[in-house]
Amino acid sequence: MKGLYCKPGDQGDVKFVLQETNVPTNLGSHQVKVQVKSCALSPVDFKLYEDLKFEKEHVPVGREIAGVVLQVGPKVTFFQPDDEVVGILPLDAEQPGLCSIVVTDEYNLVQKPEKVSWVEAAAVIKDGLRAYTALHTLARMAAGQTVLVLDGAGPFGVLAIQLAHYHGVKVLATASSPEDQKFLEELRPSVGVQESLLARVIRVWDSKQDLVDSCLEETGGLGVDIIIDSGVRLYEEKPEAQRHCPHKHDLTALIFTLLHYTFNTINFILFSKLDPPDSHILFLKAASLLFLNDEVWTTSRAKQGRYLHILKDVMDKLCTGTFRPQLVDPVPLYEATVSMEMVQRKQARKRIAVKL
């Protein structure tokens, strides 16, 4: 049986290879054997592996899986053979999700609703977890607030928009291209409803439209309560990979202007570094700087019950149509290496699911 692995190279040169992998013959007390039906392809965070001391010559690829339970361990209580499941393999998993059969703990999986397809389940499970972590666990959103989602057409951004709208939050989002703008403007809460999910789509690809001015105009000069960042430029140069990312001072200026008019606390989810003057502005305005690391759910089991509850709720919302991801056609196993290279190099978004 072959599985997909990656081998870090010099100067970021990553190699993805299909190689033989073995399935454990004996299951642990709480382990289940799953026949994988689909596996989503997401970029591999080598820096996180390094920080956690998970040093491996070959890193297993594909952690978001959906499949059928083949066998259960003697103390498994959540599942039975033939159950349809979906879940996220832990960072220290020995097997890649991108193979025919995997063995994992029952605590990493939840039931897949019958109405949800294999591809949808694998594609949504991790981004749904990230959206919940960002908006519920960290930002603690509430009805009536306003949220700005940067790169709203990305797989994570789409689910964050839908989750925020479901809870009565006003949503603004940025589009990085005319295609993204068209997609976001056509987002609807459900089939047949004409109302858009978004209050405004901000065209960051258009130099004539300013992010700060657009936000203030849409909110009557009051501003937003939550900003979900997907990357900012730290310097004035615009490298190709960051050509549509706002400058960090744009967001800092936006926060400064907002707090000049209001005294509400702003939850600011930022993935990039801030200079001391920017941090001081956040301090003066009583803003919250929050770092989104959804991997903490599997690296620390302190909130295991809440983690499984979130995964189940993600599947429920996918089943009822609250979550409607944008998907591309799944690719077969023999194209996985090429597709994964594109995803790792950010030449393609994580909308590619491998159907086995």
Side-chain angles (χ1 to χ4, degrees):
M1 180 181 65
K2 289 188 176 182
L4 185 63
Y5 292 82
C6 63
K7 183 176 181 180
D10 296 334
Q11 298 179 351
D13 183 19
V14 181
K15 302 293 184 181
F16 293 92
V17 294
L18 287 169
Q19 64 182 35
E20 291 295 327
T21 182
N22 297 321
V23 179
T25 55
N26 298 322
L27 297 184
S29 298
H30 294 279
Q31 288 187 323
V32 295
K33 182 182 293 185
V34 179
Q35 180 183 7
V36 180
K37 295 293 186 178
S38 64
C39 176
L41 298 176
S42 299
V44 181
D45 190 345
F46 293 105
K47 183 64 169 63
L48 183 59
Y49 278 93
E50 181 181 342
D51 292 340
L52 296 176
K53 309 302 181 184
F54 292 161
E55 298 180 2
K56 298 180 180 180
E57 183 179 357
H58 291 87
V59 179
V61 175
R63 297 173 50 221
E64 303 136 77
I65 64 169
V68 178
V69 175
L70 297 177
Q71 184 182 352
V72 300
K75 294 185 179 181
V76 171
T77 58
F78 292 171
F79 309 107
Q80 296 294 330
D82 297 328
D83 283 350
E84 297 181 352
V85 296
V86 58
I88 305 170
L89 301 181
L91 281 170
D92 60 351
E94 296 295 330
Q95 284 183 275
L98 190 54
C99 64
S100 299
I101 297 174
V102 298
V103 173
T104 186
D105 289 342
E106 61 175 328
Y107 309 113
N108 298 320
L109 305 169
V110 294
Q111 295 279 356
K112 181 188 79 67
E114 185 178 351
K115 295 181 179 179
V116 174
S117 71
W118 300 115
V119 172
E120 287 178 327
V124 167
I125 188 68
K126 194 166 192 294
D127 286 317
L129 174 67
R130 295 188 71 211
Y132 264 83
T133 306
L135 292 172
H136 279 295
T137 307
L138 297 179
R140 301 190 180 277
M141 68 175 175
Q145 291 182 326
T146 302
V147 58
L148 170 63
V149 180
L150 301 181
D151 190 21
F156 164 61
V158 170
L159 297 188
I161 290 169
Q162 293 170 346
L163 182 62
H165 183 272
Y166 176 81
H167 287 280
V169 176
K170 182 178 180 180
V171 186
L172 313 178
T174 64
S176 303
S177 67
E179 293 77 18
D180 287 352
Q181 178 188 349
K182 181 180 179 181
F183 168 72
L184 290 173
E185 290 176 345
E186 292 176 351
L187 278 178
R188 298 289 183 267
S190 60
V191 178
V193 178
Q194 295 302 314
E195 174 194 3
S196 175
L197 283 172
L198 292 160
R200 172 174 289 195
V201 179
I202 302 170
R203 306 186 304 270
V204 293
W205 56 270
D206 186 354
S207 59
K208 297 180 181 179
Q209 190 165 43
D210 184 75
L211 175 63
V212 175
D213 292 344
S214 298
C215 288
L216 294 178
E217 180 183 350
E218 184 61 39
T219 58
L222 298 178
V224 299
D225 299 287
I226 304 167
I227 299 175
I228 298 182
D229 176 31
S230 62
V232 298
R233 287 184 288 112
L234 301 182
Y235 309 101
E236 294 301 328
E237 304 89 68
K238 295 183 179 181
E240 184 65 20
Q242 296 182 332
R243 65 186 186 281
H244 294 313
C245 292
H247 194 279
K248 61 177 180 177
H249 295 305
D250 293 340
L251 301 184
T252 310
L254 177 61
I255 292 175
F256 180 84
T257 306
L258 300 182
L259 270 291
H260 181 72
Y261 290 99
T262 69
F263 295 95
N264 296 327
T265 299
I266 292 185
N267 299 283
F268 186 57
I269 301 173
L270 183 66
F271 302 157
S272 305
K273 295 180 180 179
L274 289 176
D275 292 332
D278 299 325
S279 298
H280 188 61
I281 290 176
L282 297 181
F283 162 73
L284 293 176
K285 304 306 175 182
S288 301
L289 178 62
L290 308 170
F291 294 93
L292 176 57
N293 176 21
D294 56 283
E295 299 293 355
V296 73
W297 293 106
T298 55
T299 55
S300 173
R301 296 298 186 180
K303 304 292 184 181
Q304 179 66 29
R306 182 179 296 180
Y307 169 65
L308 293 179
H309 175 76
I310 292 174
L311 296 187
K312 184 179 183 301
D313 206 45
V314 169
M315 286 297 105
D316 290 343
K317 284 184 168 52
L318 184 59
C319 182
T320 58
T322 302
F323 283 161
R324 291 177 293 111
Q326 184 185 22
L327 299 173
V328 297
D329 294 334
V331 298
L333 180 61
Y334 61 84
E335 294 182 8
T337 54
V338 176
S339 298
M340 191 61 210
E341 288 175 359
M342 294 176 62
V343 171
Q344 188 71 27
R345 295 170 183 169
K346 299 183 179 181
Q347 296 173 345
R349 285 174 170 153
K350 196 217 74 174
R351 295 174 185 168
I352 302 172
V354 175
K355 190 173 184 180
L356 303 176

